[in-house]
Amino acid sequence: MRTRRSLPALILLFFIAPFATAGGPLVVGGPAVGNRPAFGKDGEPFIWNTAKMPIQYRVDPGPMSVTSSGTTVIDHNAGVERVQNMFAVWQGVSTATLSYSNAGPLLPAGSYTGGDLKTAQQFNDVMGSCNAGKQNPVIFDADGRLLVSLGLPPEVIGFNSGCALDTINGYLLSSAIVMNGQFQDGINSPGSTRVNLELTPNAFDEAITHEIGHFSGLDHSQINVDLLLQGTFPCDTDELAGLPLMFPFAFCQARKDAGLPVLSPDDLAWISSLYPNANTGDSYGTISGRIFFGDGASQVQGVNVIARVVDGSGTIEDESRRVAVSAVSGYLFTGNPGQSITSSMPQSFENNTGGDRNGSRSTGLIGYYEIAVPPGTYTVEVESVFYAFVGGSGVGPLSPPIGLQTPEFWNTDESAFDFTLQRSTITVHAGDKVTDIDIILNNNFFHRFDGNEDSGAVFDAPIAMPELFIEDTRA
Ligand SMILES: [Zn+2]
């Protein structure tokens, strides 16, 4: 009997988002609905205003890591240097216009009057000033006690929390990062009453660099998800090379420790898509299309689409695992368009008439994807977003994700009955916009979700329904 392999004990990458997420970009604008005003620009990702670069962040004046007994392991200056190097990873992308600068220590706010930020109250007050758009705090939780006091598990390496948005112009205005220094205190005692985990410096820095990806407006990405199921450590280098830094869980060795750049091709492509500069068009083309149910007409949102370079025969590396860029279908469309049924329930239990404010309502975007890729020859494939990627670990607009029956490749003769492994290749030059790479999902049952609500027969025979007894157990 095959047993399902349980997920490896994971260290958590985390974001606490006050807004729903999109897949690719973290927040996408939506139109005015009813009395609700427009949310940024319809169908466009929220980004930092490139006319106001560099993005100014402020750092906790305390040490980065201390032991539980109070011995400093990484002092403030060493911590700041590491933080600067983490921001520099994203700033260093030559095809993106993005820069950051350290504007000095955290600004006082309420109970926080300066110095090492330690208490939940100080944290809440500083977050209040972040929510007011006054500062972008980078907080050292040197011994991990702040995270515990916030109710987070000790496996959280750090998190990003988006603060304020310019909902008129579609800009990110402020955001915060918290780093759990307990992962760098030199003590690894996973079994102890107070769990204390340890990461290599590179693994820790990469986890926080992932948080800076969220800070910059990126959602999670899923590529080479089979690594998660293999559960082997260290991870295969080819697979790791293509594994996005923005993958929801951290479970492999640090990319740097494997001799790889901190950012994968997917991370580079997405940050360049959000913040294109004069070099971007010379370095990328795009592949776009729509994902359809088996009827070939109804679009499918929430499917992971991956463009992979065709493996070259002249190298020992597997380029198809190394060079890949993904998008989730319908990433620009809202994950919750709303419905008026429950809003008219007695006592107005729920009013979801207008749905979420984020994401477009342009129906042509429901199954749409667009992937920026470096020049090369690609295959395009679809797969489910992994079932455990929900909430703060979500990928794309739907949480929980939907399941496909079978992953499949795109080919030039797409239909609901084609051979799932049949693939055609797409050659992309810099500046190319390859469109209409549409995939019709192969499936035997789900022509589309709402079409599956009954047997599909036009004239159903009457069925004698068993009586349903609904008991009111309330006192
Ligand atoms: Zn994350």
Side-chain angles (χ1 to χ4, degrees):
M1 194 183 90
R2 276 190 66 175
T3 51
R4 170 173 276 178
R5 190 190 292 269
S6 62
L7 293 176
L10 294 171
I11 302 168
L12 301 175
L13 301 174
F14 221 74
F15 63 76
I16 296 173
F19 14 78
T21 66
L26 192 57
V27 195
V28 175
V33 174
N35 295 326
R36 189 175 66 204
F39 179 63
K41 295 178 184 168
D42 189 356
E44 289 187 26
F46 276 73
I47 57 169
W48 293 85
N49 186 349
T50 52
K52 292 188 177 174
M53 297 283 168
I55 302 163
Q56 313 263 337
Y57 62 87
R58 293 183 168 274
V59 186
D60 186 335
M64 177 176 144
S65 178
V66 301
T67 64
S68 56
S69 55
T71 308
T72 299
V73 182
I74 300 169
D75 68 16
H76 174 75
N77 288 344
V80 169
E81 192 179 329
R82 282 174 66 170
V83 167
Q84 286 171 346
N85 289 338
M86 296 173 205
F87 277 104
V89 168
W90 292 105
Q91 183 167 327
V93 178
S94 64
T95 47
T97 303
L98 194 63
S99 57
Y100 315 84
S101 76
N102 179 354
L106 295 177
L107 296 174
S111 63
Y112 177 71
T113 54
D116 189 6
L117 187 151
K118 285 189 165 173
T119 69
Q121 185 59 51
Q122 291 173 333
F123 172 79
N124 288 339
D125 289 344
V126 167
M127 287 306 289
S129 80
C130 184
N131 291 335
K134 291 179 180 158
Q135 61 177 326
N136 304 308
V138 176
I139 295 165
F140 293 137
D141 180 10
D143 58 6
R145 287 198 169 96
L146 173 64
L147 285 164
V148 170
S149 71
L150 294 173
L152 293 168
E155 290 85 1
V156 172
I157 310 167
F159 66 85
N160 162 246
S161 178
C163 294
L165 299 170
D166 173 354
T167 59
I168 305 292
N169 300 303
Y171 290 127
L172 303 168
L173 287 182
S174 53
S175 194
I177 285 170
V178 178
M179 300 164 52
N180 185 353
Q182 201 186 27
F183 278 87
Q184 296 291 274
D185 66 358
I187 301 159
N188 192 33
S189 54
S192 66
T193 327
R194 186 166 172 261
V195 173
N196 183 349
L197 303 173
E198 197 67 9
L199 285 172
T200 68
N202 283 338
F204 182 83
D205 289 1
E206 289 178 16
I208 303 302
T209 307
H210 167 113
E211 301 305 330
I212 296 173
H214 291 316
F215 176 102
S216 305
L218 291 174
D219 186 17
H220 290 135
S221 282
Q222 172 181 309
I223 293 173
N224 297 348
V225 67
D226 49 308
L227 272 175
L228 194 56
L229 305 173
Q230 289 166 13
T232 46
F233 191 91
C235 294
D236 172 77
T237 311
D238 284 347
E239 295 254 46
L240 179 60
L243 185 76
L245 186 70
M246 296 312 293
F247 196 82
F249 298 161
F251 59 97
C252 290
Q253 70 276 36
R255 296 175 59 84
K256 254 191 178 172
D257 291 344
L260 296 166
V262 176
L263 300 180
S264 74
D266 183 84
D267 303 307
L268 295 168
W270 271 107
I271 201 71
S272 305
S273 296
L274 291 192
Y275 301 94
N277 66 15
N279 301 326
T280 314
D282 295 335
S283 306
Y284 286 96
T286 59
I287 298 173
S288 65
R290 288 180 174 79
I291 310 304
F292 293 105
F293 282 101
D295 65 0
S298 308
Q299 299 178 48
V300 191
Q301 187 184 28
V303 174
N304 198 42
V305 189
I306 303 175
R308 294 185 185 275
V309 153
V310 174
D311 185 25
S313 53
T315 60
I316 53 166
E317 286 91 13
D318 183 349
E319 285 81 9
S320 75
R321 312 309 292 178
R322 286 180 164 254
V323 183
V325 187
S326 66
V328 177
S329 68
Y331 70 100
L332 298 175
F333 194 78
T334 185
N336 173 14
Q339 48 81 19
S340 60
I341 305 302
T342 54
S343 62
S344 58
M345 283 173 71
Q347 302 167 25
S348 295
F349 283 125
E350 184 185 5
N351 187 343
N352 188 32
T353 313
D356 286 343
R357 62 180 180 164
N358 60 295
S360 181
R361 309 301 167 104
S362 299
T363 53
L365 293 175
I366 292 176
Y368 180 76
Y369 73 90
E370 184 175 311
I371 302 173
V373 291
T377 300
Y378 290 84
T379 57
V380 175
E381 69 201 59
V382 290
E383 64 183 13
S384 298
V385 171
F386 187 58
Y387 69 93
F389 293 164
V390 295
S393 300
V395 179
L398 302 183
S399 177
I402 58 166
L404 298 181
Q405 288 186 291
T406 18
E408 67 171 291
F409 286 98
W410 170 82
N411 68 79
T412 50
D413 301 310
E414 269 299 315
S415 81
F417 310 100
D418 52 2
F419 181 47
T420 54
L421 294 178
Q422 185 186 339
R423 67 204 76 176
S424 304
T425 57
I426 302 161
T427 298
V428 182
H429 309 94
D432 280 357
K433 291 184 190 306
V434 180
T435 60
D436 302 315
I437 303 301
D438 299 341
I439 296 180
I440 299 171
L441 297 183
N442 279 41
N443 51 60
N444 300 321
F445 309 112
F446 303 118
H447 293 300
R448 45 182 233 204
F449 291 139
D450 56 348
N452 198 48
E453 284 173 356
D454 63 19
S455 65
V458 179
F459 297 107
D460 278 334
I463 303 169
M465 289 294 289
E467 193 87 54
L468 288 176
F469 293 98
I470 299 173
E471 209 174 308
D472 189 345
T473 54
R474 284 171 296 182

